[in-house]
Amino acid sequence: MSWYDFALQFTDAQWHRTSGNSRKNVAKALMTSTIALLRTPLPAAFNPVDVRTALREFAFNTRRREEAPPEKAVILKWVERNTLSMAAWEEPAKVDAVLNAVSSLLDGAPAAASSAKRNRRILNVAMEYAVKHRVLRSNPLPKGRGTSPKTSSAVDKRALLNRSQAARLLGWVRRRPRGGQRLHAFLATMYYAGPRPEEAVAMVVHDVRLPDEDAEDQWGELLFHTAQLEVGRNWTNDGQVHEERGLKGRAKDDMRSVPCRPALTKVLRAHIQAEKLKPSDLLFPGEKGEMLAGSVIRRAWRTARREVLDPQECASPLGKRVYDLRHTCLTNWLSDGVPPAQVAEWAGNSVPVLLAIYARCIVGHLPDLKKRIEAGGDLPDLPKP
């Protein structure tokens, strides 16, 4: 069996058991591996970009494979004829070449450690599949410590926003002429309640439990039970841009509740009234009532950073991603003394994962901790000799 035929078989086996983002990642890893396993160099008539597109978007996309346009189909026919057999995986030099390819960028520079690790993990699943179906006798990929690049899950403390920075950024978005108030409400929810972006865009109005406007206690409640991941229409089963999923790391149909502090209650109440939203409407709809697009959110956030932050701050990791609003929220909760188990429940994480990500960023407890350490006492003075 050739590597190309095996890669198609593996793609189809994985398609119905994986999410859209996973399908996309599998296609990227197989695309790079396939180019590294060609018997001969690409013909001069082939544009390398077209070759990668043909492999990623059509060959290793189960739903679109038969839709490849004629120029892409010609490329795929050539690749099919010029790919090495699976016996190539028995050659250590060839295995090293593939691993080097999936760990590098197109210009040969090292890829991000997380990308390299993900590609190696996908290849490992493919090799185990090959062993299971008796295409290979054993998994040829190296194992043990040092075989994959090290990655850290800890959040970069430089990305966290202080209250003044967050207020200025969200204030600029709110004054944005086009959809500013709607985007402000979305970003304020990220900052105050810490949902993942795909969880926030999936919310409907009746997921927000707000007190009466004249109630003394203005704390509310937010319910999260669905995520709408933006993966692109080429990678979903129904051709939609978003793919509906359950909450990350939770059982199907599970949900979680997060308190809605009075400042956010005020923002969401005004937003719902201004947009005249009904209980079954999306809480943060797009301009035409559709799912709010990630590109719209990211574009508004990038512009806000350029307008609000000074050049040095803008060039730094400070609030570089919308996701950093979630990181800031969870770090603030921990720094304010909320028990990690409670923060993990609100965030939809396990306690070990939460602490691995945020423990380095907790601030404000050091003075008290110093006093506790000193209260234990020092060593007694030794008698003079």
Side-chain angles (χ1 to χ4, degrees):
M1 178 181 287
S2 75
W3 159 255
Y4 181 77
D5 289 337
F6 169 79
L8 297 183
Q9 180 181 320
F10 175 69
T11 297
D12 295 343
Q14 293 291 104
W15 185 267
H16 295 292
R17 67 181 70 165
T18 54
S19 66
N21 275 329
S22 295
R23 295 167 180 173
K24 191 187 303 184
N25 289 331
V26 167
K28 290 178 180 177
L30 296 180
M31 169 197 72
T32 306
S33 304
T34 300
I35 293 175
L37 288 169
L38 289 175
R39 185 178 290 109
T40 61
L42 291 172
F46 288 171
N47 185 327
V49 174
D50 291 339
V51 174
R52 292 193 295 272
T53 300
L55 290 169
R56 184 185 63 247
E57 300 293 331
F58 296 101
F60 303 132
N61 184 315
T62 299
R63 190 170 66 82
R64 301 184 71 213
R65 188 174 301 142
E66 302 304 321
E67 301 174 5
E71 64 275 12
K72 299 295 190 296
V74 169
I75 293 173
L76 296 180
K77 282 292 184 183
W78 183 91
V79 170
E80 183 179 14
R81 294 192 304 268
N82 290 275
T83 306
L84 294 171
S85 74
M86 290 297 287
W89 288 100
E90 297 178 4
E91 302 176 23
K94 188 57 67 176
V95 173
D96 289 344
V98 174
L99 293 179
N100 181 64
V102 300
S103 303
S104 306
L105 300 176
L106 293 177
D107 60 3
S114 57
S115 298
K117 194 169 186 177
R118 181 180 62 239
N119 288 339
R120 285 174 176 244
R121 185 168 59 245
I122 291 169
L123 280 183
N124 191 63
V125 174
M127 295 299 102
E128 292 296 334
Y129 179 86
V131 172
K132 179 180 179 181
H133 291 269
R134 300 182 179 180
V135 179
L136 292 175
R137 287 173 292 184
S138 62
N139 187 334
L141 299 182
K143 297 177 177 61
R145 297 183 64 180
T147 56
S148 293
K150 291 184 178 181
T151 57
S152 173
S153 59
V155 68
D156 187 343
K157 194 172 183 178
R158 298 172 299 169
L160 302 179
L161 298 157
N162 63 37
R163 285 173 171 78
S164 173
Q165 292 162 342
R168 288 187 289 127
L169 286 165
L170 267 63
W172 188 93
V173 171
R174 191 175 187 276
R175 295 188 297 272
R176 187 172 183 261
R178 187 171 178 178
Q181 293 192 3
R182 184 187 308 115
L183 289 169
H184 171 262
F186 173 87
L187 296 172
T189 301
M190 291 278 297
Y191 177 79
Y192 282 126
R196 299 176 177 89
E198 61 267 23
E199 296 169 345
V201 298
M203 293 180 73
V204 293
V205 175
H206 61 64
D207 292 331
V208 181
R209 310 286 176 85
L210 299 181
D212 293 335
E213 198 164 356
D214 57 354
E216 184 177 349
D217 184 357
Q218 285 296 304
W219 279 88
E221 182 184 31
L222 305 180
L223 304 180
F224 298 99
H225 51 82
T226 308
Q228 289 282 354
L229 282 82
E230 190 175 61
V231 298
R233 55 175 51 90
N234 292 341
W235 302 99
T236 56
N237 289 325
D238 56 7
Q240 298 297 314
V241 173
H242 290 82
E243 179 181 65
E244 183 173 319
R245 309 283 291 183
L247 298 180
K248 186 176 182 180
R250 300 245 177 169
K252 186 179 180 182
D253 298 327
D254 200 357
M255 60 82 64
R256 72 176 191 272
S257 169
V258 180
C260 178
R261 63 189 295 164
L264 182 56
T265 294
K266 183 178 179 180
V267 170
L268 292 180
R269 181 184 288 123
H271 165 67
I272 292 170
Q273 293 174 352
E275 297 287 329
K276 299 179 180 179
L277 298 175
K278 300 176 182 177
S280 59
D281 291 342
L282 287 170
L283 180 61
F284 306 115
E287 287 187 343
K288 299 179 181 178
E290 76 285 7
M291 195 76 62
L292 183 60
S295 58
V296 173
I297 301 168
R298 291 188 294 272
R299 185 164 56 247
W301 186 249
R302 285 196 301 267
T303 306
R305 289 184 78 251
R306 287 197 303 268
E307 294 293 329
V308 170
L309 303 180
D310 63 44
Q312 185 175 352
E313 290 175 328
C314 197
S316 76
L318 177 65
K320 193 168 186 178
R321 303 181 304 158
V322 174
Y323 206 97
D324 291 327
L325 289 169
R326 168 178 162 88
H327 288 325
T328 299
C329 174
L330 272 55
T331 302
N332 287 343
W333 282 341
L334 291 169
S335 297
D336 291 339
V338 180
Q342 184 61 76
V343 175
E345 170 63 25
W346 291 343
N349 283 337
S350 67
V351 174
V353 169
L354 180 84
L355 294 179
I357 296 174
Y358 300 102
R360 298 180 186 176
C361 300
I362 301 173
V363 297
H365 300 177
L366 188 57
D368 181 57
L369 294 176
K370 287 178 179 178
K371 291 178 182 178
R372 293 187 188 185
I373 294 171
E374 287 183 340
D378 299 329
L379 290 174
D381 292 335
L382 297 176
K384 295 182 179 179

